[in-house]
Amino acid sequence: LTSSASAGFGVPLSASFMAHHSLAAHPDAVHKVGARTNYYRSLVPALLWGVAIANLVRGVPIDADMSYVGGFWNLLNPYALVGGLMTLTLIITHGAVFLALKTSGEVRQAARGIVFKVGPVAAAIAVVFLLWSQVYSNNAIASLVLALLAAVAFLGGLYATFRNRDGWAFVLTSATMLL
């Protein structure tokens, strides 16, 4: 993308970067602000990256000079918001799978609980988004094959978590994120 074509994404992606890195220069600030605030602040990038990617898939209004001509609110269309919710829930699930893999005891059980609560929601949102994405696809067959591979990998990751196979769960949810 040229800078003029991607200019419309500057504000949302800058907000994403600032939300994620605002406390990076002050490690002690995490304790002052609180872990819960840090958690919620970390959700913003996951949502906004999905919104940005969905808008790239859908297309954004540009003029003859390839400059973005829509406004900020034009980027927050229903398709983009569903895309944002999909990336948000997939990233939460993937992170919980990673925590389950790397921890034990109560933390592992809490992480597995998140996988079982958020994972099915992520799967449902992903089905809606991936089917809706077929409308915008130039190659519906390849797009559908990739969507099915991602769905199988994600469901396999959820099943692996259920079977206490955390390594496989992480591999499969990683594959989902790559697809």
Side-chain angles (χ1 to χ4, degrees):
L1 287 175
T2 64
S3 60
S4 60
S6 61
F9 294 103
V11 172
L13 295 181
S14 294
S16 169
F17 180 81
M18 288 186 304
H20 187 67
H21 296 286
S22 62
L23 297 178
H26 307 286
D28 295 336
V30 173
H31 299 308
K32 293 177 186 174
V33 174
R36 193 170 293 284
T37 301
N38 193 37
Y39 168 78
Y40 289 117
R41 182 182 58 91
S42 296
L43 298 178
V44 173
L47 179 74
L48 290 180
W49 278 106
V51 167
I53 291 168
N55 275 305
L56 289 173
V57 169
R58 178 177 164 261
V60 294
I62 56 174
D63 62 15
D65 295 326
M66 301 298 288
S67 294
Y68 178 71
V69 294
F72 174 75
W73 297 110
N74 190 49
L75 297 173
L76 298 179
N77 57 74
Y79 176 75
L81 293 173
V82 171
L85 289 174
M86 181 190 70
T87 57
L88 174 66
T89 56
L90 287 175
I91 289 169
I92 290 171
T93 304
H94 183 60
V97 166
F98 179 76
L99 280 175
L101 175 64
K102 293 295 186 179
T103 61
S104 61
E106 289 181 27
V107 174
R108 180 175 182 270
Q109 291 310 314
R112 288 172 49 81
I114 291 170
V115 172
F116 295 133
K117 288 177 186 166
V118 179
V121 173
I125 293 171
V127 166
V128 170
F129 181 76
L130 294 173
L131 289 176
W132 196 349
S133 295
Q134 297 306 305
V135 173
Y136 302 112
S137 175
N138 291 331
N139 188 344
I141 293 173
S143 176
L144 188 59
V145 167
L146 287 174
L148 289 173
L149 286 173
V152 167
F154 188 72
L155 293 174
L158 295 180
Y159 180 73
T161 299
F162 176 75
R163 302 283 298 167
N164 290 311
R165 304 293 299 201
D166 296 328
W168 280 111
F170 183 72
V171 167
L172 291 167
T173 58
S174 295
T176 302
M177 300 298 286
L178 291 172
L179 291 169

